[in-house]
Amino acid sequence: MKFGVLGSGAVGHAIGNKLIQLGHEVCMGSRESSNEKGLAFARANTPKSTNGTFADAAEVGEVLFNCTSGKASLDALAIAGEKNLAGKVLVDVANPLDFSKGMPPSMLTPSTDSLAEQIQRAHPKCKVVKALNTMNCALMVDPKRLSSGNHDVLMCGNDKGAKGQVSELLQSFGWKSIIDLGDLTAARGLEMFLPLWVRLYSTFQTPDFNIKVVR
Ligand SMILES: NC(=O)c1ccc[n+]([C@@H]2O[C@H](COP(=O)([O-])OP(=O)(O)OC[C@H]3O[C@@H](n4cnc5c(N)ncnc54)[C@H](OP(=O)(O)O)[C@@H]3O)[C@@H](O)[C@H]2O)c1
Protein backbone atom coordinates (compact mmCIF):
# COMPACT_ATOMS: atom_id res chain seq x y z
CA MET A 1 0.00 0.00 0.00
CA LYS A 2 1.12 3.60 -0.55
CA PHE A 3 1.41 5.89 2.46
CA GLY A 4 1.99 9.62 2.70
CA VAL A 5 3.88 10.59 5.84
CA LEU A 6 3.57 14.33 6.41
CA GLY A 7 6.46 15.37 8.61
CA SER A 8 10.19 14.69 8.54
CA GLY A 9 10.91 14.69 12.28
CA ALA A 10 11.48 11.75 14.63
CA VAL A 11 7.85 10.62 14.37
CA GLY A 12 7.77 10.78 10.56
CA HIS A 13 10.94 8.70 10.43
CA ALA A 14 9.73 6.13 12.99
CA ILE A 15 6.38 5.64 11.21
CA GLY A 16 7.94 5.77 7.75
CA ASN A 17 10.59 3.19 8.59
CA LYS A 18 8.03 0.85 10.13
CA LEU A 19 5.80 1.08 7.06
CA ILE A 20 8.76 0.32 4.80
CA GLN A 21 9.72 -2.62 7.02
CA LEU A 22 6.15 -3.93 6.59
CA GLY A 23 6.55 -3.80 2.80
CA HIS A 24 4.65 -0.60 2.07
CA GLU A 25 5.67 2.36 -0.06
CA VAL A 26 6.15 5.74 1.61
CA CYS A 27 6.39 9.31 0.40
CA MET A 28 7.68 11.64 3.13
CA GLY A 29 6.50 15.25 2.95
CA SER A 30 8.10 18.47 4.14
CA ARG A 31 7.67 22.16 3.37
CA GLU A 32 10.46 21.92 0.78
CA SER A 33 11.20 18.89 -1.38
CA SER A 34 14.89 19.70 -0.78
CA ASN A 35 14.47 19.01 2.97
CA GLU A 36 17.60 17.13 4.10
CA LYS A 37 15.76 14.76 6.44
CA GLY A 38 13.24 13.86 3.75
CA LEU A 39 16.01 13.29 1.21
CA ALA A 40 17.91 11.09 3.70
CA PHE A 41 14.79 9.01 4.35
CA ALA A 42 14.18 8.51 0.63
CA ARG A 43 17.83 7.61 0.00
CA ALA A 44 17.94 5.11 2.86
CA ASN A 45 14.80 3.31 1.71
CA THR A 46 15.03 3.47 -2.07
CA PRO A 47 13.19 2.23 -4.14
CA LYS A 48 10.28 1.89 -1.67
CA SER A 49 10.37 5.53 -0.63
CA THR A 50 10.32 9.00 -2.10
CA ASN A 51 10.24 12.45 -0.61
CA GLY A 52 8.59 15.66 -1.65
CA THR A 53 6.40 18.48 -0.42
CA PHE A 54 3.42 17.97 1.89
CA ALA A 55 1.26 18.10 -1.27
CA ASP A 56 3.37 15.40 -2.97
CA ALA A 57 3.10 13.07 0.04
CA ALA A 58 -0.64 13.66 0.38
CA GLU A 59 -1.17 13.05 -3.33
CA VAL A 60 0.82 9.79 -3.40
CA GLY A 61 -0.52 8.33 -0.16
CA GLU A 62 -3.66 6.21 -0.08
CA VAL A 63 -3.51 6.55 3.71
CA LEU A 64 -1.84 9.55 5.36
CA PHE A 65 -0.08 10.24 8.67
CA ASN A 66 0.06 13.75 10.12
CA CYS A 67 3.44 13.84 11.87
CA THR A 68 3.92 17.60 11.78
CA SER A 69 4.46 19.98 14.66
CA GLY A 70 1.12 20.55 16.41
CA LYS A 71 1.41 24.30 16.11
CA ALA A 72 1.91 24.00 12.35
CA SER A 73 -0.33 21.05 11.43
CA LEU A 74 -3.20 23.17 10.06
CA ASP A 75 -0.74 25.10 7.87
CA ALA A 76 0.98 21.90 6.73
CA LEU A 77 -2.34 20.29 5.80
CA ALA A 78 -3.47 23.45 3.99
CA ILE A 79 -0.28 23.13 1.91
CA ALA A 80 -1.08 19.41 1.38
CA GLY A 81 -4.25 20.59 -0.34
CA GLU A 82 -7.91 19.71 -0.09
CA LYS A 83 -7.96 17.67 -3.31
CA ASN A 84 -5.13 15.44 -2.02
CA LEU A 85 -6.82 14.91 1.36
CA ALA A 86 -10.41 14.35 0.24
CA GLY A 87 -11.70 10.83 0.87
CA LYS A 88 -8.49 9.64 2.56
CA VAL A 89 -7.84 8.34 6.06
CA LEU A 90 -5.50 10.67 7.98
CA VAL A 91 -3.95 9.29 11.15
CA ASP A 92 -3.29 12.33 13.32
CA VAL A 93 -0.35 11.76 15.64
CA ALA A 94 0.33 15.45 16.36
CA ASN A 95 0.01 17.20 19.71
CA PRO A 96 -0.94 20.88 20.00
CA LEU A 97 1.62 21.79 22.63
CA ASP A 98 3.09 25.23 23.17
CA PHE A 99 6.67 25.16 24.46
CA SER A 100 7.26 28.86 23.68
CA LYS A 101 7.20 29.82 27.37
CA GLY A 102 9.34 26.88 28.42
CA MET A 103 8.33 24.01 30.66
CA PRO A 104 5.75 22.84 31.37
CA PRO A 105 4.09 23.27 27.98
CA SER A 106 0.54 24.58 27.62
CA MET A 107 -2.19 23.46 25.22
CA LEU A 108 -2.76 25.42 22.02
CA THR A 109 -6.41 24.32 21.96
CA PRO A 110 -9.11 24.98 24.59
CA SER A 111 -10.62 22.03 26.50
CA THR A 112 -13.73 22.33 24.31
CA ASP A 113 -11.76 21.54 21.14
CA SER A 114 -8.76 19.58 19.84
CA LEU A 115 -6.28 19.74 16.99
CA ALA A 116 -7.85 16.61 15.46
CA GLU A 117 -11.28 18.28 15.40
CA GLN A 118 -9.78 21.45 13.92
CA ILE A 119 -8.20 19.35 11.16
CA GLN A 120 -11.49 17.54 10.56
CA ARG A 121 -13.40 20.85 10.35
CA ALA A 122 -10.80 22.30 7.97
CA HIS A 123 -10.92 19.18 5.76
CA PRO A 124 -14.43 17.69 6.10
CA LYS A 125 -13.89 15.17 3.28
CA CYS A 126 -10.84 13.70 5.00
CA LYS A 127 -11.37 10.90 7.57
CA VAL A 128 -9.36 11.92 10.61
CA VAL A 129 -8.43 9.25 13.14
CA LYS A 130 -6.51 10.33 16.24
CA ALA A 131 -4.11 7.62 17.41
CA LEU A 132 -0.62 6.97 18.78
CA ASN A 133 -0.16 10.55 20.08
CA THR A 134 -0.04 9.45 23.73
CA MET A 135 3.37 7.77 23.58
CA ASN A 136 6.92 8.20 22.36
CA CYS A 137 7.52 7.44 18.67
CA ALA A 138 9.81 4.46 19.31
CA LEU A 139 6.95 2.80 21.15
CA MET A 140 4.35 3.69 18.49
CA VAL A 141 5.94 1.25 16.08
CA ASP A 142 7.35 -1.26 18.57
CA PRO A 143 4.98 -1.95 21.48
CA LYS A 144 7.08 -4.98 22.50
CA ARG A 145 9.76 -2.48 23.51
CA LEU A 146 8.05 -2.51 26.93
CA SER A 147 8.52 -5.93 28.46
CA SER A 148 5.78 -5.49 31.10
CA GLY A 149 2.94 -7.11 29.11
CA ASN A 150 0.12 -5.59 27.09
CA HIS A 151 -0.41 -1.87 27.20
CA ASP A 152 -2.89 0.26 25.33
CA VAL A 153 -3.10 2.40 22.24
CA LEU A 154 -6.10 4.72 22.24
CA MET A 155 -7.86 6.01 19.16
CA CYS A 156 -10.97 7.90 18.08
CA GLY A 157 -12.60 9.22 14.92
CA ASN A 158 -15.95 9.87 13.30
CA ASP A 159 -15.70 7.28 10.51
CA LYS A 160 -16.13 3.63 11.51
CA GLY A 161 -14.51 2.27 8.34
CA ALA A 162 -11.49 4.54 8.77
CA LYS A 163 -11.05 3.36 12.37
CA GLY A 164 -11.27 -0.25 11.21
CA GLN A 165 -8.50 0.40 8.69
CA VAL A 166 -6.32 2.14 11.31
CA SER A 167 -6.98 -0.67 13.77
CA GLU A 168 -5.65 -3.23 11.25
CA LEU A 169 -2.63 -1.05 10.64
CA LEU A 170 -1.96 -0.76 14.37
CA GLN A 171 -2.19 -4.54 14.69
CA SER A 172 0.42 -4.85 11.95
CA PHE A 173 2.63 -2.55 14.08
CA GLY A 174 2.27 -5.13 16.88
CA TRP A 175 -0.54 -3.58 18.94
CA LYS A 176 -2.80 -6.08 20.73
CA SER A 177 -4.87 -3.75 22.91
CA ILE A 178 -6.53 -1.02 20.84
CA ILE A 179 -9.20 1.02 22.63
CA ASP A 180 -11.69 2.86 20.41
CA LEU A 181 -12.94 5.87 22.38
CA GLY A 182 -15.68 6.80 19.91
CA ASP A 183 -16.03 10.00 17.92
CA LEU A 184 -13.37 12.64 17.41
CA THR A 185 -14.33 14.70 20.47
CA ALA A 186 -12.36 12.05 22.42
CA ALA A 187 -9.23 13.60 20.88
CA ARG A 188 -9.56 16.37 23.49
CA GLY A 189 -8.67 13.92 26.25
CA LEU A 190 -6.00 12.19 24.15
CA GLU A 191 -4.29 15.52 23.53
CA MET A 192 -4.80 16.78 27.10
CA PHE A 193 -2.92 13.70 28.35
CA LEU A 194 0.28 15.23 27.00
CA PRO A 195 1.03 17.66 29.84
CA LEU A 196 0.89 14.60 32.14
CA TRP A 197 3.04 12.59 29.69
CA VAL A 198 5.68 15.34 29.75
CA ARG A 199 5.67 15.31 33.57
CA LEU A 200 5.97 11.51 33.70
CA TYR A 201 8.87 11.73 31.25
CA SER A 202 10.68 14.21 33.45
CA THR A 203 9.97 12.05 36.54
CA PHE A 204 11.06 8.73 34.97
CA GLN A 205 13.85 10.27 32.83
CA THR A 206 12.90 7.88 30.02
CA PRO A 207 10.17 7.93 27.33
CA ASP A 208 9.70 4.16 27.65
CA PHE A 209 6.33 4.04 29.42
CA ASN A 210 2.70 3.90 28.33
CA ILE A 211 -0.94 3.82 29.40
CA LYS A 212 -2.44 0.52 30.56
CA VAL A 213 -6.07 0.83 31.59
CA VAL A 214 -6.92 -1.64 34.34
CA ARG A 215 -10.61 -2.54 34.60
N1 LIG B 1 8.50 12.90 19.24
C1 LIG B 1 7.65 12.00 19.71
O1 LIG B 1 8.05 10.91 20.17
C2 LIG B 1 6.17 12.28 19.64
C3 LIG B 1 5.28 11.41 20.28
C4 LIG B 1 3.89 11.62 20.15
C5 LIG B 1 3.43 12.67 19.38
N2 LIG B 1 4.32 13.51 18.79
C6 LIG B 1 3.81 14.60 17.94
O2 LIG B 1 4.13 14.26 16.59
C7 LIG B 1 4.40 15.44 15.82
C8 LIG B 1 5.76 15.34 15.16
O3 LIG B 1 6.74 15.35 16.15
P1 LIG B 1 8.32 15.31 15.77
O4 LIG B 1 9.03 15.35 17.06
O5 LIG B 1 8.57 14.19 14.81
O6 LIG B 1 8.58 16.61 14.89
P2 LIG B 1 8.30 18.17 15.09
O7 LIG B 1 9.61 18.83 15.22
O8 LIG B 1 7.29 18.45 16.16
O9 LIG B 1 7.63 18.54 13.67
C9 LIG B 1 8.37 18.39 12.52
C10 LIG B 1 7.55 18.62 11.29
O10 LIG B 1 6.71 19.80 11.44
C11 LIG B 1 6.86 20.59 10.25
N3 LIG B 1 6.72 22.03 10.54
C12 LIG B 1 7.34 22.73 11.53
N4 LIG B 1 7.00 24.05 11.45
C13 LIG B 1 6.17 24.15 10.37
C14 LIG B 1 5.47 25.25 9.78
N5 LIG B 1 5.57 26.49 10.26
N6 LIG B 1 4.67 24.99 8.71
C15 LIG B 1 4.55 23.73 8.21
N7 LIG B 1 5.20 22.66 8.73
C16 LIG B 1 5.99 22.86 9.80
C17 LIG B 1 8.27 20.32 9.79
O11 LIG B 1 8.35 20.62 8.42
P3 LIG B 1 9.74 20.50 7.60
O12 LIG B 1 9.87 19.04 7.33
O13 LIG B 1 9.50 21.30 6.39
O14 LIG B 1 10.82 21.04 8.50
C18 LIG B 1 8.45 18.85 10.10
O15 LIG B 1 8.03 18.06 9.02
C19 LIG B 1 4.27 16.61 16.80
O16 LIG B 1 2.99 17.17 16.69
C20 LIG B 1 4.45 15.96 18.17
O17 LIG B 1 3.78 16.68 19.20
C21 LIG B 1 5.66 13.36 18.92
Side-chain angles (χ1 to χ4, degrees), residues 172-212:
S172 75
F173 283 11
W175 286 98
K176 293 193 175 2
S177 175
I178 301 164
I179 302 178
D180 180 354
L181 297 173
D183 69 59
L184 209 54
T185 57
R188 297 171 194 181
L190 293 184
E191 295 174 7
M192 283 191 277
F193 175 67
L194 263 293
L196 175 56
W197 187 94
V198 169
R199 189 64 75 163
L200 289 167
Y201 176 47
S202 100
T203 302
F204 297 151
Q205 293 289 302
T206 170
D208 283 335
F209 60 88
N210 191 27
I211 296 170
K212 179 182 170 77

Side-chain angles (χ1 to χ4, degrees), residues 5-14 28-33 35-38 52 54 66-77 79 92-97 99 115 130-140 194 197 207:
V5 172
L6 282 71
S8 63
V11 180
H13 279 258
M28 180 173 280
S30 306
R31 279 167 287 186
E32 306 287 341
S33 57
N35 181 290
E36 266 312 315
K37 292 179 189 168
F54 290 130
N66 174 34
C67 307
T68 61
S69 161
K71 67 177 187 307
S73 289
L74 289 169
D75 290 343
L77 289 163
I79 297 169
D92 177 32
V93 177
N95 284 310
L97 293 178
F99 288 95
L115 175 62
K130 189 94 200 177
L132 293 169
N133 69 304
T134 52
M135 68 193 75
N136 175 258
C137 57
L139 206 49
M140 291 177 190
L194 263 293
W197 187 94

Side-chain angles (χ1 to χ4, degrees), residues 66-202:
N66 174 34
C67 307
T68 61
S69 161
K71 67 177 187 307
S73 289
L74 289 169
D75 290 343
L77 289 163
I79 297 169
E82 187 55 37
K83 76 170 176 12
N84 296 323
L85 299 174
K88 294 185 183 168
V89 175
L90 175 83
V91 187
D92 177 32
V93 177
N95 284 310
L97 293 178
D98 181 4
F99 288 95
S100 65
K101 296 185 180 69
M103 295 292 273
S106 55
M107 302 297 297
L108 289 166
T109 47
S111 58
T112 50
D113 202 3
S114 63
L115 175 62
E117 290 169 277
Q118 291 179 350
I119 293 171
Q120 186 66 82
R121 283 199 299 276
H123 304 285
K125 291 185 184 149
C126 186
K127 299 166 193 170
V128 179
V129 176
K130 189 94 200 177
L132 293 169
N133 69 304
T134 52
M135 68 193 75
N136 175 258
C137 57
L139 206 49
M140 291 177 190
V141 296
D142 184 16
K144 285 207 184 88
R145 195 178 165 83
L146 295 186
S147 54
S148 48
N150 276 346
H151 44 105
D152 304 322
V153 58
L154 311 174
M155 73 164 177
C156 64
N158 295 341
D159 189 286
K160 244 184 161 175
K163 285 193 287 189
Q165 219 175 320
V166 173
S167 183
E168 278 178 26
L169 189 58
L170 293 174
Q171 287 173 55
S172 75
F173 283 11
W175 286 98
K176 293 193 175 2
S177 175
I178 301 164
I179 302 178
D180 180 354
L181 297 173
D183 69 59
L184 209 54
T185 57
R188 297 171 194 181
L190 293 184
E191 295 174 7
M192 283 191 277
F193 175 67
L194 263 293
L196 175 56
W197 187 94
V198 169
R199 189 64 75 163
L200 289 167
Y201 176 47
S202 100

